[in-house]
Structure formats: C-alpha cells, structure tokens
Amino acid sequence: MQTEAAFPATAQREGPLKRFRVLDLTRVRAGPTCIRQFADWGADVIKIESPDHMEVSDGWGGLRDGPDFQNLHRNKRSLTLNLKDPKGREIFLELVKQADVVAENFRPDVKFRLGIDYETLKAVNPRIVYASISGFGQDGPYAKRPGFDHIVQGMGGLMSITGDPSHGPMRTGIAVADTGAGLYCAMAIMTALLEREESGQGQWVQVSLLQAMIAMCDFQAARWLFLKEIPGQPGNNHPTSIPTGVYPTADGYINIAAGEQAMFRRLCTALEVPELMEREPYSTEQGRSDNRVALNAELSALTRQRSTADWMVRMEECHVAAGPINRMNEVFADAQVQHLGIATPVKHKRIGPVEVVGQPFMMSRTPSQVRSAAPDRGEDTEEILRELNYSAGQIAALREQGVL
C-alpha cells in the first residue's frame, strides 16, 4: 500500500481515504460519479486525460467550466497523457505501481488495445483494484453496444413503471442508471479494498449500467421474480400503498403517504373527515388499493380547499407523512436542506465562488471535503511527473513529442 508520506499535500487533503491513490480514466457520468466518492473523502485522485492536440473531449465539449463537470470532477488533479504512445503508457504503468485503484469506463475492448487491462496492470502491481463500468457488461451479446442512461432506463424496466399509463413509457428526470452504476461501483471498489487487507491482492470489479438499473428497480423487479407479476405504470400513485401520491392544493400540489392503517386514520383527522376511515370500501388497505381512483378523487376535492403551506402545518400537527413538491430553487431554500449543508462552496479560479452538491452522508470524525474546483485539462501534469522524478527537461521533451 502506498504510504501517506509519498503523496502530495496539495489543497490539504484530509479524510478517511487519504491513504489511497486512484487513477481516474473515466469520462461522462457513471465513472466520474464513482470516483467523486473517493475524491471527496480524501483520496489522491489523478484524472488522466488526452492531451489537447488529440482533440478528444471528456464528453463535455466546451462545458468544462459548467455546473455538471465542476460538480463531478472537484478535488482531483489532472494529468494529460497519450496512452496510445509507448512513452505515455510507460508513464501510466509507473503511476500504477504507486496506485491502489484504476477506474475506467471505456468500451470493453479499448483497455486491451491500449495494453492497460487488468491482467497487464496486475503484473505491475498485484494489489491494484481495477474497476470497469460498461453499458451492458464486459462480455455477452450486448457487450459492444454503446451504453447510454436513457437506453438503459428502458431496457432495465424503469420506463415501463414510470409515468402515467395514458402517456406511454416515461424516463426519469435524472441519469439514474449512470448514477446508480457509479455508486455501486464505488461500493464494489471499497469492498475490494477491504478484502485486500486480508488477502493482500487486488481484483477486477465490474459494474454495468444494465445491472445497476435492474438492481435499483428493487421491489418492482422482485415482484416479477417472486410472484410473476408484471408491474405497470402507477403514475404518481404508489404501486401498492394507497393513498400515496400527489394531491392538488389551492396553489399547487402536495405529496401525501398514508397507505398504512394508522397513517390513513391520521390523514382523515387532518382533513377533518374522520368518518372516511370507517366508510366502505376505504376501511382496509386492500379496499383503498382496489378503489384508488374514487378515493383519490375524494381526497383531491378536500386538498384543493387550502394552500400547500396551510396543509403542511395541518399535516405536521396530525403527524401525517406529507411534503411540498419543490422546484430546485425551493429545494435549496428549504430550512432543513440549509441545515444539512449539502450545498457546498468551492472557489473556482476563473468564475470565483460557486456551490456544488456535497456528500449525502456524514461522519462524525472524518468529514468529506470539497477542497478544490475541477482542474483544467493537464493542470497538474508537471507536478505529478516531478513526483515520478522526471526532470523539467524530460517533461519539456515529452510535451514536444506529443506524449503530454
């Protein structure tokens, strides 16, 4: 394992993962989502990018200073390296000797053509944990297909259970397959690093967007596997627990979740219709589920009579699970969101102070840090090569030769 002393102290890296070095070959979203988990918790993450002259983007074009790129790539150093050049590959292998993790989301065949596949790197560093994210898996009939979030949302079943059935299949408003695959991959790498503490050996971990998407369908997928039920599109209703969904108010909408008997009783109290709890067919959970359209119509007629804010006061008084449906500006103006501090400040050298989305979990002794904005392409190339004992003259020569 690389020692802390061998790592640079740039931007005061701290955190529970500061002893690890990660070589980041990922691009677009799923891979960077994974590596962000290491960068925020203190790992020395080196983002390896193609030199400018190769005219290969990270999938972002000219949006490097935009919110998406900055949100994904904070806390990293950037090294430009032409991996198609033998000298570039040689530098990469030197870095591998000192690294704990290599992560990539190329098409499955690319790493073999570049000579940076797991077996090759294992020969250089048997302790390396090598992580691969793909659209559909490293092998199999779909392995060479390009993997895009939108496509996988459909293939993994999510779009068939999202939205109103009268409008056909519906994708979600976020890249849920990409994000899920990235987070599962981060968990897989962490698991491999923990196992390495016993075995002393690294291993190859593999995650696909398709597997992640199916896993995130969770209970809906289990309904088919266990009961052979094909879930449909429930719209804003919960598939099984009614009433759970969106209800109109005098000035907008509110979410209510009151499918369980005690919660439905409290909802009837909040709405000042206690008799509704005893009226057939609404007295049982199954009766409410079977008659959801009629029940929702009655509830909607009641919720329309007051504003969202008024209903939130009333629901809280009666201990009913409910919440407003916020636009993004309202999300970050919310008192609880501000208390949690998930909007995290960072200073960008060109745009100045900005905010990014922080980590969604906290630790009492070793918190995450957003230390630095996303680096410019190759911003840290010279620093990283000096750590490998390259001289200024050697670095200049490598630049001249198009390696950097």
Side-chain angles (χ1 to χ4, degrees), residues 89 93 111-112 115-125:
R89 181 175 176 276
L93 294 179
K111 56 183 154 291
F112 297 99
I116 57 169
D117 56 279
Y118 171 63
E119 290 298 330
T120 299
L121 302 194
K122 177 183 175 182
V124 173
N125 179 359

Side-chain angles (χ1 to χ4, degrees), residues 181-207:
L183 294 176
Y184 279 125
C185 190
M187 186 163 59
I189 294 170
M190 297 287 192
T191 303
L193 289 171
L194 285 170
E195 191 279 338
R196 192 181 72 172
E197 293 181 1
E198 290 189 354
S199 68
Q201 299 292 309
Q203 54 188 305
W204 186 12
V205 302
Q206 302 173 26
V207 178

Side-chain angles (χ1 to χ4, degrees), residues 1 6 13 30 76 128 144 165 195 219 250 274 286 306 310 318 329 372 397:
M1 183 181 297
R13 276 191 310 106
K76 298 179 182 180
I128 201 74
K144 293 185 179 180
E195 191 279 338
F219 75 96
Q286 189 62 52
R306 300 188 191 181
D310 287 346
C318 295
N329 61 314
S372 58

